[in-house]
Amino acid sequence: MAGSVPLPQHLHTGSHDLPVSAELAAFMGTGWEERALPADARVPAREMTPARRDRLSARFPGERLLVPAGEVKVRSGDCDHRFRPHSAYAWLTGLTGEDQHGHVLVLEPSGPGGGHEAVLYIHPRPERASGDRTFYRDRRFGEFWVGRRPDLAEAERLTGIRCVRLEGTRSLPPGRDAVSDPVLAAVLAELRLVKDPWEVDELQRAVDHTAAGFEDVVRALPRALAHPRGERWIEGVFGMRARLEGNGTGYETIAASGAHACVLHWTRNDGPLDPSELLLLDAGVESDTLYTADITRTLPLSGRFSPVQRRVYELVLAAQEAGMAALRPGARFRDFHRACMGVIAEGLADWGVLKDPEGDRHRRYTLCGSGHMLGLDVHDCARSRAEAYLDGVLAEGQVLTVEPGLYFQPDDATLPAELRGIGVRIEDDLVVTADGARLMSGALPRTPEAVEEWMGALLGG
Ligand code: GLY
Ligand code: MN
Ligand code: MN
């Protein structure tokens, strides 16, 4: 093309890393001491994973199953997003680290009885003495770049699973794949619906750290209020707690002040805080074992609810109480949502916002469902079949959120001016018990009076 610069046949591209001389390469290959992992190192879920794999195995006799950890995703240029393994892989192997990218768990059919042998295809710790430069040159696998990774024998001890070297994904045998095969994905999601006691403990730990993070946020309010991007201040404060106590946040923190609270997943968090407004904080710590909490509190930034804020808050709270009371084994998953929505619709009709509580016009102001399963994923087990989840019945050991909300958009001409721009969600985490449900997030206050008292105590009166 006229005027364009001809491209050379061979582009020499590279990052800012300098080339390695033969002398340096030889030097780097020698003189290292052994540094083994502790002989008793085990993944925390080691005792639980064999039974989980057995339950999966029983569903697919004679079929090879592949459960990938997933691949790193480029953020931009030569930088990657932080890696977090797929939940099904973590659940079946107990491996939860950033170093798991590319790894694949294979359940290999073994014998006529229909069982499976688990085999982990992994990238083991690269050799140092063989001339392999990976350990000091490779940004994704080199231990001088990303840290120590186990060798094959160490990985077997950690997991109790036979480990083999992954020679590229094309070397994997064909089989059902947990990401692309909807049947395997659904079975894996449904197997995770009921949590074992160890998982409930991990979730409780995540909830407790999340409660501490909410306290951090309240203590930080004076400085956040003074900053032009106060929502970011709050996100940062909670994020610090999440990284200190666990793997990070289980989802992007929603720090929504004023009318931003009417945006369900407001994660831009770039607004200021106005002391006359509410703050909707929806945040969860994800444990090192990758279980996440999911809690929302809507707080008056002045420390006191105004009369109209309190009125909206109390209606949402009443809806949440009704929803939580509907949780028990054998209840339909939709029952607690219906209970929440009944209270909301009645309340809106009492206020004259709705002409009558029948029908689904209230959904203009509630926008989404009233809760979901919680576990390794914030919206846990989302690939389950409807008959096992959305249209199914609850069972002991399931962990759910109950999170009704009212979102009065600032430009909603159906509403009186005083309601516009108010958004309230109250979200708690519960585990279904033999005869009801246990509130896991009860450490955080829920009534307006308790919220005000709690904020007052944290803010020093
Ligand atoms: N934080 C997302 C949700 O509450 O579902
Ligand atoms: Mn939430
Ligand atoms: Mn939620």
Side-chain angles (χ1 to χ4, degrees):
M1 202 192 297
S4 66
V5 180
L7 285 172
Q9 284 295 310
H10 300 287
L11 289 176
H12 175 78
T13 64
S15 71
H16 52 283
D17 288 336
L18 300 174
V20 173
S21 67
E23 184 187 353
L24 176 60
F27 185 47
M28 290 299 286
T30 60
W32 304 108
E33 289 178 351
E34 251 323 301
R35 205 163 56 94
L37 283 190
D40 59 353
R42 300 283 184 271
V43 295
R46 166 83 190 258
E47 302 308 315
M48 271 64 65
T49 57
R52 296 173 187 172
R53 294 192 296 272
D54 285 348
R55 289 169 62 208
L56 177 61
S57 165
R59 301 291 292 273
F60 294 96
E63 292 199 67
R64 183 181 293 116
L65 309 175
L66 277 63
V67 184
E71 300 290 341
V72 285
K73 184 167 177 357
V74 173
R75 182 173 185 272
S76 185
D78 66 355
C79 292
D80 300 328
H81 285 282
R82 186 190 297 283
F83 180 77
R84 192 268 199 200
H86 190 286
S87 294
Y89 174 89
W91 188 71
L92 290 166
T93 65
L95 291 163
T96 56
E98 287 178 33
D99 59 346
Q100 294 304 309
H101 60 86
H103 295 181
V104 183
L105 173 71
V106 176
L107 291 196
E108 195 66 48
S110 66
H116 290 80
E117 186 204 9
V119 186
L120 257 175
Y121 286 76
I122 65 168
H123 297 287
R125 183 185 191 204
E127 288 290 322
R128 292 193 184 181
S130 64
D132 183 345
R133 301 179 183 190
T134 304
F135 73 97
Y136 65 97
R137 287 295 279 173
D138 193 295
R139 295 163 176 275
R140 285 183 173 162
F141 296 103
E143 64 184 277
F144 289 1
W145 287 85
V146 291
R148 175 81 156 76
R149 55 196 304 122
D151 63 25
L152 290 176
E154 288 168 340
E156 289 190 358
R157 280 205 306 276
L158 280 170
T159 61
I161 303 173
R162 183 161 76 84
C163 293
V164 300
R165 179 184 300 274
L166 182 62
E167 309 280 4
T169 40
R170 257 172 279 137
S171 70
L172 285 170
R176 279 190 194 263
D177 181 298
V179 176
S180 59
D181 182 300
V183 175
L184 177 53
V187 168
L188 275 166
E190 290 169 26
L191 287 174
R192 292 200 287 113
L193 280 166
V194 171
K195 276 64 185 172
D196 61 40
W198 181 85
E199 292 183 288
V200 175
D201 285 350
E202 290 302 301
L203 280 160
Q204 185 67 61
R205 199 188 312 275
V207 165
D208 293 345
H209 290 315
T210 300
F214 275 62
E215 293 189 353
D216 295 343
V217 164
V218 172
R219 279 191 215 96
L221 281 180
R223 295 193 71 184
L225 278 155
H227 195 279
R229 293 220 269 184
E231 291 177 346
R232 288 279 167 96
W233 193 290
I234 284 164
E235 177 191 325
V237 167
F238 188 84
M240 183 163 91
R241 174 67 69 166
R243 281 296 280 170
L244 289 175
E245 307 288 6
N247 187 50
T249 53
Y251 53 93
E252 296 297 325
T253 295
I254 298 165
S257 156
H260 289 163
C262 302
V263 181
L264 290 177
H265 287 176
W266 176 259
T267 55
R268 292 183 211 170
N269 300 344
D270 59 358
L273 308 181
D274 177 332
S276 70
E277 309 255 45
L278 297 171
L279 169 74
L280 184 156
L281 175 63
D282 182 342
V285 173
E286 180 183 77
S287 66
D288 289 326
T289 52
L290 306 185
Y291 289 83
T292 190
D294 180 12
I295 298 178
T296 306
R297 287 292 180 271
T298 307
L299 309 173
L301 283 164
S302 67
R304 299 258 168 226
F305 290 94
S306 73
V308 66
Q309 289 168 349
R310 180 180 288 254
R311 183 152 65 91
V312 178
Y313 188 96
E314 284 182 336
L315 180 53
V316 175
L317 182 61
Q320 198 207 23
E321 294 285 355
M324 296 197 298
L327 296 180
R328 73 183 71 86
R332 305 206 71 82
F333 174 78
R334 290 184 190 233
D335 288 350
F336 77 92
H337 172 65
R338 202 169 296 124
C340 291
M341 290 302 102
V343 173
I344 295 265
E346 290 284 349
L348 293 178
D350 285 350
W351 295 354
V353 168
L354 291 177
K355 280 204 200 64
D356 69 67
E358 301 309 316
D360 63 357
R361 293 167 74 100
H362 62 274
R363 292 181 61 186
R364 179 180 176 108
Y365 313 106
T366 60
L367 301 179
C368 65
S370 303
H372 50 83
M373 297 292 171
L374 186 67
L376 284 164
D377 291 313
V378 61
H379 298 158
D380 209 35
C381 312
R383 298 190 72 181
S384 303
R385 291 165 306 145
E387 54 263 47
Y389 184 177
L390 185 62
D391 300 327
V393 293
L394 300 180
E396 186 176 356
Q398 292 180 339
V399 177
L400 299 93
T401 70
V402 178
E403 52 173 309
L406 275 170
Y407 310 99
F408 295 130
Q409 304 298 331
D411 53 356
D412 189 336
T414 69
L415 292 169
E418 61 174 5
L419 290 179
R420 294 188 198 176
I422 293 180
V424 172
R425 173 161 68 253
I426 310 171
E427 175 171 29
D428 282 275
D429 303 339
L430 298 100
V431 56
V432 179
T433 57
D435 56 359
R438 177 170 69 78
L439 180 63
M440 301 173 77
S441 43
L444 287 172
R446 291 170 51 254
T447 65
E449 298 73 28
V451 167
E452 289 176 349
E453 194 182 320
W454 173 76
M455 290 182 73
L458 289 168
L459 290 166

